[in-house]
PDB file of all heavy atoms in Angstrom:
ATOM      1  N   VAL N 118     -16.285  -5.292 -11.354  1.00  0.00           N
ATOM      2  CA  VAL N 118     -15.014  -5.502 -12.011  1.00  0.00           C
ATOM      3  C   VAL N 118     -15.088  -6.452 -13.233  1.00  0.00           C
ATOM      4  O   VAL N 118     -14.511  -6.174 -14.261  1.00  0.00           O
ATOM      5  CB  VAL N 118     -13.961  -6.042 -10.991  1.00  0.00           C
ATOM      6  CG1 VAL N 118     -12.709  -6.610 -11.714  1.00  0.00           C
ATOM      7  CG2 VAL N 118     -13.569  -4.949 -10.054  1.00  0.00           C
ATOM      8  N   PRO N 119     -15.831  -7.589 -13.165  1.00  0.00           N
ATOM      9  CA  PRO N 119     -15.880  -8.435 -14.383  1.00  0.00           C
ATOM     10  C   PRO N 119     -16.351  -7.723 -15.612  1.00  0.00           C
ATOM     11  O   PRO N 119     -15.798  -7.919 -16.688  1.00  0.00           O
ATOM     12  CB  PRO N 119     -16.857  -9.533 -13.930  1.00  0.00           C
ATOM     13  CG  PRO N 119     -16.711  -9.637 -12.446  1.00  0.00           C
ATOM     14  CD  PRO N 119     -16.519  -8.220 -12.020  1.00  0.00           C
ATOM     15  N   ALA N 120     -17.322  -6.827 -15.476  1.00  0.00           N
ATOM     16  CA  ALA N 120     -17.790  -6.088 -16.636  1.00  0.00           C
ATOM     17  C   ALA N 120     -16.737  -5.120 -17.151  1.00  0.00           C
ATOM     18  O   ALA N 120     -16.581  -4.935 -18.360  1.00  0.00           O
ATOM     19  CB  ALA N 120     -19.079  -5.335 -16.270  1.00  0.00           C
ATOM     20  N   ARG N 121     -15.985  -4.541 -16.235  1.00  0.00           N
ATOM     21  CA  ARG N 121     -14.902  -3.612 -16.629  1.00  0.00           C
ATOM     22  C   ARG N 121     -13.791  -4.354 -17.348  1.00  0.00           C
ATOM     23  O   ARG N 121     -13.274  -3.884 -18.372  1.00  0.00           O
ATOM     24  CB  ARG N 121     -14.356  -2.882 -15.375  1.00  0.00           C
ATOM     25  CG  ARG N 121     -15.313  -1.926 -14.726  1.00  0.00           C
ATOM     26  CD  ARG N 121     -15.648  -0.726 -15.607  1.00  0.00           C
ATOM     27  NE  ARG N 121     -14.452   0.083 -15.823  1.00  0.00           N
ATOM     28  CZ  ARG N 121     -14.054   1.090 -15.017  1.00  0.00           C
ATOM     29  NH1 ARG N 121     -14.774   1.360 -13.932  1.00  0.00           N
ATOM     30  NH2 ARG N 121     -12.979   1.769 -15.289  1.00  0.00           N
ATOM     31  N   VAL N 122     -13.457  -5.526 -16.830  1.00  0.00           N
ATOM     32  CA  VAL N 122     -12.426  -6.343 -17.498  1.00  0.00           C
ATOM     33  C   VAL N 122     -12.904  -6.785 -18.873  1.00  0.00           C
ATOM     34  O   VAL N 122     -12.142  -6.738 -19.851  1.00  0.00           O
ATOM     35  CB  VAL N 122     -12.084  -7.555 -16.611  1.00  0.00           C
ATOM     36  CG1 VAL N 122     -11.173  -8.537 -17.386  1.00  0.00           C
ATOM     37  CG2 VAL N 122     -11.418  -7.133 -15.304  1.00  0.00           C
ATOM     38  N   GLN N 123     -14.153  -7.160 -18.965  1.00  0.00           N
ATOM     39  CA  GLN N 123     -14.721  -7.587 -20.250  1.00  0.00           C
ATOM     40  C   GLN N 123     -14.667  -6.400 -21.233  1.00  0.00           C
ATOM     41  O   GLN N 123     -14.397  -6.621 -22.442  1.00  0.00           O
ATOM     42  CB  GLN N 123     -16.150  -8.065 -20.104  1.00  0.00           C
ATOM     43  CG  GLN N 123     -16.765  -8.717 -21.350  1.00  0.00           C
ATOM     44  CD  GLN N 123     -16.041  -9.977 -21.754  1.00  0.00           C
ATOM     45  OE1 GLN N 123     -15.594 -10.740 -20.877  1.00  0.00           O
ATOM     46  NE2 GLN N 123     -15.897 -10.188 -23.047  1.00  0.00           N
ATOM     47  N   ASP N 124     -14.928  -5.209 -20.772  1.00  0.00           N
ATOM     48  CA  ASP N 124     -14.881  -4.041 -21.657  1.00  0.00           C
ATOM     49  C   ASP N 124     -13.480  -3.810 -22.185  1.00  0.00           C
ATOM     50  O   ASP N 124     -13.275  -3.482 -23.362  1.00  0.00           O
ATOM     51  CB  ASP N 124     -15.358  -2.812 -20.887  1.00  0.00           C
ATOM     52  CG  ASP N 124     -15.309  -1.538 -21.765  1.00  0.00           C
ATOM     53  OD1 ASP N 124     -16.124  -1.431 -22.702  1.00  0.00           O
ATOM     54  OD2 ASP N 124     -14.451  -0.687 -21.501  1.00  0.00           O
ATOM     55  N   VAL N 125     -12.483  -3.999 -21.295  1.00  0.00           N
ATOM     56  CA  VAL N 125     -11.091  -3.829 -21.736  1.00  0.00           C
ATOM     57  C   VAL N 125     -10.744  -4.846 -22.824  1.00  0.00           C
ATOM     58  O   VAL N 125     -10.124  -4.487 -23.828  1.00  0.00           O
ATOM     59  CB  VAL N 125     -10.124  -3.991 -20.527  1.00  0.00           C
ATOM     60  CG1 VAL N 125      -8.662  -4.032 -21.009  1.00  0.00           C
ATOM     61  CG2 VAL N 125     -10.300  -2.831 -19.556  1.00  0.00           C
ATOM     62  N   LEU N 126     -11.206  -6.067 -22.661  1.00  0.00           N
ATOM     63  CA  LEU N 126     -10.870  -7.144 -23.606  1.00  0.00           C
ATOM     64  C   LEU N 126     -11.582  -6.998 -24.922  1.00  0.00           C
ATOM     65  O   LEU N 126     -10.972  -7.064 -26.012  1.00  0.00           O
ATOM     66  CB  LEU N 126     -11.194  -8.517 -22.995  1.00  0.00           C
ATOM     67  CG  LEU N 126     -10.327  -8.969 -21.817  1.00  0.00           C
ATOM     68  CD1 LEU N 126     -10.856 -10.279 -21.224  1.00  0.00           C
ATOM     69  CD2 LEU N 126      -8.864  -9.137 -22.241  1.00  0.00           C
ATOM     70  N   THR N 127     -12.907  -6.776 -24.886  1.00  0.00           N
ATOM     71  CA  THR N 127     -13.699  -6.798 -26.099  1.00  0.00           C
ATOM     72  C   THR N 127     -13.754  -5.453 -26.804  1.00  0.00           C
ATOM     73  O   THR N 127     -13.675  -5.437 -28.058  1.00  0.00           O
ATOM     74  CB  THR N 127     -15.132  -7.262 -25.785  1.00  0.00           C
ATOM     75  OG1 THR N 127     -15.733  -6.360 -24.858  1.00  0.00           O
ATOM     76  CG2 THR N 127     -15.111  -8.652 -25.224  1.00  0.00           C
ATOM     77  N   ARG N 128     -13.882  -4.366 -26.076  1.00  0.00           N
ATOM     78  CA  ARG N 128     -14.034  -3.076 -26.763  1.00  0.00           C
ATOM     79  C   ARG N 128     -12.702  -2.350 -26.884  1.00  0.00           C
ATOM     80  O   ARG N 128     -12.242  -1.999 -27.985  1.00  0.00           O
ATOM     81  CB  ARG N 128     -15.022  -2.168 -25.980  1.00  0.00           C
ATOM     82  CG  ARG N 128     -15.292  -0.831 -26.716  1.00  0.00           C
ATOM     83  CD  ARG N 128     -16.239   0.021 -25.882  1.00  0.00           C
ATOM     84  NE  ARG N 128     -15.639   0.432 -24.618  1.00  0.00           N
ATOM     85  CZ  ARG N 128     -14.857   1.522 -24.489  1.00  0.00           C
ATOM     86  NH1 ARG N 128     -14.545   2.271 -25.539  1.00  0.00           N
ATOM     87  NH2 ARG N 128     -14.359   1.827 -23.319  1.00  0.00           N
ATOM     88  N   GLN N 129     -12.010  -2.149 -25.728  1.00  0.00           N
ATOM     89  CA  GLN N 129     -10.769  -1.357 -25.766  1.00  0.00           C
ATOM     90  C   GLN N 129      -9.681  -2.063 -26.564  1.00  0.00           C
ATOM     91  O   GLN N 129      -9.004  -1.431 -27.382  1.00  0.00           O
ATOM     92  CB  GLN N 129     -10.333  -1.072 -24.344  1.00  0.00           C
ATOM     93  CG  GLN N 129     -11.297  -0.213 -23.569  1.00  0.00           C
ATOM     94  CD  GLN N 129     -10.823   0.101 -22.158  1.00  0.00           C
ATOM     95  OE1 GLN N 129      -9.646   0.221 -21.896  1.00  0.00           O
ATOM     96  NE2 GLN N 129     -11.760   0.222 -21.230  1.00  0.00           N
ATOM     97  N   TRP N 130      -9.473  -3.348 -26.277  1.00  0.00           N
ATOM     98  CA  TRP N 130      -8.435  -4.087 -27.019  1.00  0.00           C
ATOM     99  C   TRP N 130      -8.995  -4.642 -28.339  1.00  0.00           C
ATOM    100  O   TRP N 130      -8.422  -4.455 -29.402  1.00  0.00           O
ATOM    101  CB  TRP N 130      -7.894  -5.198 -26.127  1.00  0.00           C
ATOM    102  CG  TRP N 130      -6.778  -5.989 -26.746  1.00  0.00           C
ATOM    103  CD1 TRP N 130      -6.099  -5.741 -27.913  1.00  0.00           C
ATOM    104  CD2 TRP N 130      -6.177  -7.189 -26.215  1.00  0.00           C
ATOM    105  NE1 TRP N 130      -5.139  -6.721 -28.130  1.00  0.00           N
ATOM    106  CE2 TRP N 130      -5.161  -7.590 -27.096  1.00  0.00           C
ATOM    107  CE3 TRP N 130      -6.416  -7.941 -25.046  1.00  0.00           C
ATOM    108  CZ2 TRP N 130      -4.401  -8.737 -26.868  1.00  0.00           C
ATOM    109  CZ3 TRP N 130      -5.644  -9.060 -24.829  1.00  0.00           C
ATOM    110  CH2 TRP N 130      -4.641  -9.464 -25.723  1.00  0.00           C
ATOM    111  N   GLY N 131     -10.156  -5.323 -28.248  1.00  0.00           N
ATOM    112  CA  GLY N 131     -10.710  -6.012 -29.407  1.00  0.00           C
ATOM    113  C   GLY N 131     -11.162  -5.087 -30.535  1.00  0.00           C
ATOM    114  O   GLY N 131     -10.991  -5.420 -31.698  1.00  0.00           O
ATOM    115  N   GLU N 132     -11.801  -3.946 -30.209  1.00  0.00           N
ATOM    116  CA  GLU N 132     -12.394  -3.075 -31.219  1.00  0.00           C
ATOM    117  C   GLU N 132     -11.505  -1.854 -31.476  1.00  0.00           C
ATOM    118  O   GLU N 132     -11.150  -1.534 -32.619  1.00  0.00           O
ATOM    119  CB  GLU N 132     -13.769  -2.646 -30.805  1.00  0.00           C
ATOM    120  CG  GLU N 132     -14.784  -3.816 -30.661  1.00  0.00           C
ATOM    121  CD  GLU N 132     -16.123  -3.365 -30.156  1.00  0.00           C
ATOM    122  OE1 GLU N 132     -16.371  -2.132 -30.118  1.00  0.00           O
ATOM    123  OE2 GLU N 132     -16.911  -4.229 -29.722  1.00  0.00           O
ATOM    124  N   LEU N 133     -11.135  -1.158 -30.406  1.00  0.00           N
ATOM    125  CA  LEU N 133     -10.378   0.068 -30.592  1.00  0.00           C
ATOM    126  C   LEU N 133      -8.867  -0.203 -30.859  1.00  0.00           C
ATOM    127  O   LEU N 133      -8.210   0.577 -31.539  1.00  0.00           O
ATOM    128  CB  LEU N 133     -10.501   0.956 -29.341  1.00  0.00           C
ATOM    129  CG  LEU N 133     -11.887   1.516 -29.071  1.00  0.00           C
ATOM    130  CD1 LEU N 133     -11.869   2.330 -27.756  1.00  0.00           C
ATOM    131  CD2 LEU N 133     -12.410   2.337 -30.211  1.00  0.00           C
ATOM    132  N   ARG N 134      -8.413  -1.306 -30.318  1.00  0.00           N
ATOM    133  CA  ARG N 134      -7.039  -1.702 -30.511  1.00  0.00           C
ATOM    134  C   ARG N 134      -6.046  -0.574 -30.172  1.00  0.00           C
ATOM    135  O   ARG N 134      -6.105  -0.030 -29.059  1.00  0.00           O
ATOM    136  CB  ARG N 134      -6.813  -2.248 -31.908  1.00  0.00           C
ATOM    137  CG  ARG N 134      -7.566  -3.568 -32.180  1.00  0.00           C
ATOM    138  CD  ARG N 134      -7.409  -4.071 -33.585  1.00  0.00           C
ATOM    139  NE  ARG N 134      -8.119  -3.230 -34.549  1.00  0.00           N
ATOM    140  CZ  ARG N 134      -9.446  -3.363 -34.834  1.00  0.00           C
ATOM    141  NH1 ARG N 134     -10.140  -4.296 -34.200  1.00  0.00           N
ATOM    142  NH2 ARG N 134     -10.000  -2.597 -35.696  1.00  0.00           N
ATOM    143  N   ILE N 135      -5.212  -0.181 -31.065  1.00  0.00           N
ATOM    144  CA  ILE N 135      -4.157   0.803 -30.727  1.00  0.00           C
ATOM    145  C   ILE N 135      -4.746   2.176 -30.370  1.00  0.00           C
ATOM    146  O   ILE N 135      -4.129   2.988 -29.677  1.00  0.00           O
ATOM    147  CB  ILE N 135      -3.159   0.935 -31.900  1.00  0.00           C
ATOM    148  CG1 ILE N 135      -1.834   1.554 -31.385  1.00  0.00           C
ATOM    149  CG2 ILE N 135      -3.746   1.750 -33.061  1.00  0.00           C
ATOM    150  CD1 ILE N 135      -0.723   1.476 -32.419  1.00  0.00           C
ATOM    151  N   ARG N 136      -5.974   2.433 -30.829  1.00  0.00           N
ATOM    152  CA  ARG N 136      -6.591   3.727 -30.514  1.00  0.00           C
ATOM    153  C   ARG N 136      -6.880   3.886 -29.022  1.00  0.00           C
ATOM    154  O   ARG N 136      -7.073   4.985 -28.509  1.00  0.00           O
ATOM    155  CB  ARG N 136      -7.888   3.898 -31.299  1.00  0.00           C
ATOM    156  CG  ARG N 136      -7.718   3.815 -32.804  1.00  0.00           C
ATOM    157  CD  ARG N 136      -8.856   4.520 -33.544  1.00  0.00           C
ATOM    158  NE  ARG N 136     -10.184   4.069 -33.119  1.00  0.00           N
ATOM    159  CZ  ARG N 136     -10.818   2.966 -33.578  1.00  0.00           C
ATOM    160  NH1 ARG N 136     -10.192   2.215 -34.500  1.00  0.00           N
ATOM    161  NH2 ARG N 136     -12.008   2.660 -33.182  1.00  0.00           N
ATOM    162  N   SER N 137      -6.904   2.731 -28.275  1.00  0.00           N
ATOM    163  CA  SER N 137      -7.204   2.817 -26.861  1.00  0.00           C
ATOM    164  C   SER N 137      -6.141   3.529 -26.048  1.00  0.00           C
ATOM    165  O   SER N 137      -6.420   4.034 -24.960  1.00  0.00           O
ATOM    166  CB  SER N 137      -7.422   1.407 -26.303  1.00  0.00           C
ATOM    167  OG  SER N 137      -8.760   0.979 -26.490  1.00  0.00           O
ATOM    168  N   TRP N 138      -4.912   3.642 -26.592  1.00  0.00           N
ATOM    169  CA  TRP N 138      -3.918   4.407 -25.858  1.00  0.00           C
ATOM    170  C   TRP N 138      -4.396   5.851 -25.630  1.00  0.00           C
ATOM    171  O   TRP N 138      -4.178   6.447 -24.595  1.00  0.00           O
ATOM    172  CB  TRP N 138      -2.590   4.410 -26.632  1.00  0.00           C
ATOM    173  CG  TRP N 138      -1.877   3.099 -26.536  1.00  0.00           C
ATOM    174  CD1 TRP N 138      -1.731   2.185 -27.556  1.00  0.00           C
ATOM    175  CD2 TRP N 138      -1.258   2.518 -25.415  1.00  0.00           C
ATOM    176  NE1 TRP N 138      -1.040   1.046 -27.106  1.00  0.00           N
ATOM    177  CE2 TRP N 138      -0.713   1.274 -25.786  1.00  0.00           C
ATOM    178  CE3 TRP N 138      -1.043   2.971 -24.092  1.00  0.00           C
ATOM    179  CZ2 TRP N 138      -0.007   0.427 -24.898  1.00  0.00           C
ATOM    180  CZ3 TRP N 138      -0.350   2.158 -23.236  1.00  0.00           C
ATOM    181  CH2 TRP N 138       0.157   0.893 -23.652  1.00  0.00           C
ATOM    182  N   ASP N 139      -5.097   6.371 -26.610  1.00  0.00           N
ATOM    183  CA  ASP N 139      -5.672   7.718 -26.498  1.00  0.00           C
ATOM    184  C   ASP N 139      -7.133   7.705 -26.072  1.00  0.00           C
ATOM    185  O   ASP N 139      -7.535   8.331 -25.087  1.00  0.00           O
ATOM    186  CB  ASP N 139      -5.481   8.481 -27.787  1.00  0.00           C
ATOM    187  CG  ASP N 139      -4.040   8.771 -28.129  1.00  0.00           C
ATOM    188  OD1 ASP N 139      -3.313   9.159 -27.202  1.00  0.00           O
ATOM    189  OD2 ASP N 139      -3.656   8.592 -29.295  1.00  0.00           O
ATOM    190  N   GLU N 140      -7.961   6.987 -26.855  1.00  0.00           N
ATOM    191  CA  GLU N 140      -9.388   7.044 -26.665  1.00  0.00           C
ATOM    192  C   GLU N 140      -9.863   6.408 -25.347  1.00  0.00           C
ATOM    193  O   GLU N 140     -10.858   6.848 -24.762  1.00  0.00           O
ATOM    194  CB  GLU N 140     -10.107   6.413 -27.836  1.00  0.00           C
ATOM    195  CG  GLU N 140      -9.875   7.139 -29.163  1.00  0.00           C
ATOM    196  CD  GLU N 140     -10.622   6.492 -30.315  1.00  0.00           C
ATOM    197  OE1 GLU N 140     -11.652   5.822 -30.086  1.00  0.00           O
ATOM    198  OE2 GLU N 140     -10.159   6.655 -31.475  1.00  0.00           O
ATOM    199  N   SER N 141      -9.162   5.385 -24.889  1.00  0.00           N
ATOM    200  CA  SER N 141      -9.517   4.756 -23.607  1.00  0.00           C
ATOM    201  C   SER N 141      -8.647   5.253 -22.458  1.00  0.00           C
ATOM    202  O   SER N 141      -8.805   4.826 -21.305  1.00  0.00           O
ATOM    203  CB  SER N 141      -9.395   3.230 -23.713  1.00  0.00           C
ATOM    204  OG  SER N 141     -10.293   2.726 -24.671  1.00  0.00           O
ATOM    205  N   GLY N 142      -7.719   6.153 -22.749  1.00  0.00           N
ATOM    206  CA  GLY N 142      -6.903   6.748 -21.670  1.00  0.00           C
ATOM    207  C   GLY N 142      -5.830   5.846 -21.121  1.00  0.00           C
ATOM    208  O   GLY N 142      -5.431   6.019 -19.946  1.00  0.00           O
ATOM    209  N   TRP N 143      -5.322   4.897 -21.917  1.00  0.00           N
ATOM    210  CA  TRP N 143      -4.298   4.026 -21.396  1.00  0.00           C
ATOM    211  C   TRP N 143      -3.037   4.797 -21.052  1.00  0.00           C
ATOM    212  O   TRP N 143      -2.344   4.466 -20.077  1.00  0.00           O
ATOM    213  CB  TRP N 143      -3.972   2.935 -22.445  1.00  0.00           C
ATOM    214  CG  TRP N 143      -4.998   1.882 -22.576  1.00  0.00           C
ATOM    215  CD1 TRP N 143      -6.172   1.797 -21.873  1.00  0.00           C
ATOM    216  CD2 TRP N 143      -4.991   0.783 -23.475  1.00  0.00           C
ATOM    217  NE1 TRP N 143      -6.902   0.682 -22.294  1.00  0.00           N
ATOM    218  CE2 TRP N 143      -6.193   0.044 -23.275  1.00  0.00           C
ATOM    219  CE3 TRP N 143      -4.087   0.327 -24.422  1.00  0.00           C
ATOM    220  CZ2 TRP N 143      -6.495  -1.114 -23.965  1.00  0.00           C
ATOM    221  CZ3 TRP N 143      -4.394  -0.818 -25.146  1.00  0.00           C
ATOM    222  CH2 TRP N 143      -5.589  -1.532 -24.928  1.00  0.00           C
ATOM    223  N   TRP N 144      -2.708   5.801 -21.844  1.00  0.00           N
ATOM    224  CA  TRP N 144      -1.475   6.585 -21.591  1.00  0.00           C
ATOM    225  C   TRP N 144      -1.500   7.229 -20.225  1.00  0.00           C
ATOM    226  O   TRP N 144      -0.484   7.309 -19.531  1.00  0.00           O
ATOM    227  CB  TRP N 144      -1.305   7.689 -22.649  1.00  0.00           C
ATOM    228  CG  TRP N 144      -0.731   7.261 -23.977  1.00  0.00           C
ATOM    229  CD1 TRP N 144      -1.325   7.403 -25.190  1.00  0.00           C
ATOM    230  CD2 TRP N 144       0.523   6.631 -24.206  1.00  0.00           C
ATOM    231  NE1 TRP N 144      -0.526   6.880 -26.188  1.00  0.00           N
ATOM    232  CE2 TRP N 144       0.611   6.393 -25.604  1.00  0.00           C
ATOM    233  CE3 TRP N 144       1.572   6.236 -23.407  1.00  0.00           C
ATOM    234  CZ2 TRP N 144       1.739   5.795 -26.196  1.00  0.00           C
ATOM    235  CZ3 TRP N 144       2.688   5.625 -23.991  1.00  0.00           C
ATOM    236  CH2 TRP N 144       2.751   5.426 -25.359  1.00  0.00           C
ATOM    237  N   THR N 145      -2.645   7.759 -19.807  1.00  0.00           N
ATOM    238  CA  THR N 145      -2.744   8.535 -18.596  1.00  0.00           C
ATOM    239  C   THR N 145      -3.193   7.712 -17.410  1.00  0.00           C
ATOM    240  O   THR N 145      -3.341   8.260 -16.283  1.00  0.00           O
ATOM    241  CB  THR N 145      -3.727   9.687 -18.781  1.00  0.00           C
ATOM    242  OG1 THR N 145      -5.048   9.153 -19.119  1.00  0.00           O
ATOM    243  CG2 THR N 145      -3.278  10.624 -19.906  1.00  0.00           C
ATOM    244  N   ALA N 146      -3.404   6.386 -17.571  1.00  0.00           N
ATOM    245  CA  ALA N 146      -3.924   5.556 -16.477  1.00  0.00           C
ATOM    246  C   ALA N 146      -3.062   5.591 -15.249  1.00  0.00           C
ATOM    247  O   ALA N 146      -3.598   5.703 -14.089  1.00  0.00           O
ATOM    248  CB  ALA N 146      -4.110   4.130 -16.978  1.00  0.00           C
ATOM    249  N   PRO N 147      -1.743   5.519 -15.298  1.00  0.00           N
ATOM    250  CA  PRO N 147      -0.919   5.525 -14.101  1.00  0.00           C
ATOM    251  C   PRO N 147      -1.164   6.799 -13.230  1.00  0.00           C
ATOM    252  O   PRO N 147      -1.282   6.709 -12.001  1.00  0.00           O
ATOM    253  CB  PRO N 147       0.521   5.472 -14.621  1.00  0.00           C
ATOM    254  CG  PRO N 147       0.388   4.742 -15.941  1.00  0.00           C
ATOM    255  CD  PRO N 147      -0.911   5.271 -16.492  1.00  0.00           C
ATOM    256  N   GLU N 148      -1.240   7.949 -13.889  1.00  0.00           N
ATOM    257  CA  GLU N 148      -1.446   9.192 -13.158  1.00  0.00           C
ATOM    258  C   GLU N 148      -2.910   9.342 -12.736  1.00  0.00           C
ATOM    259  O   GLU N 148      -3.209   9.779 -11.624  1.00  0.00           O
ATOM    260  CB  GLU N 148      -1.051  10.401 -13.987  1.00  0.00           C
ATOM    261  CG  GLU N 148       0.428  10.499 -14.273  1.00  0.00           C
ATOM    262  CD  GLU N 148       0.856   9.677 -15.491  1.00  0.00           C
ATOM    263  OE1 GLU N 148      -0.014   9.035 -16.146  1.00  0.00           O
ATOM    264  OE2 GLU N 148       2.040   9.712 -15.810  1.00  0.00           O
TER     265      GLU N 148
END
Side-chain angles (χ1 to χ4, degrees):
V118 167
R121 293 292 296 272
V122 172
Q123 188 64 37
D124 179 70
V125 171
L126 292 175
T127 60
R128 185 182 65 85
Q129 297 181 32
W130 183 8
E132 298 175 13
L133 295 178
R134 293 178 290 277
I135 200 170
R136 301 202 309 274
S137 275
W138 286 108
D139 293 316
E140 296 182 26
S141 298
W143 287 359
W144 280 121
T145 60
E148 293 85 1

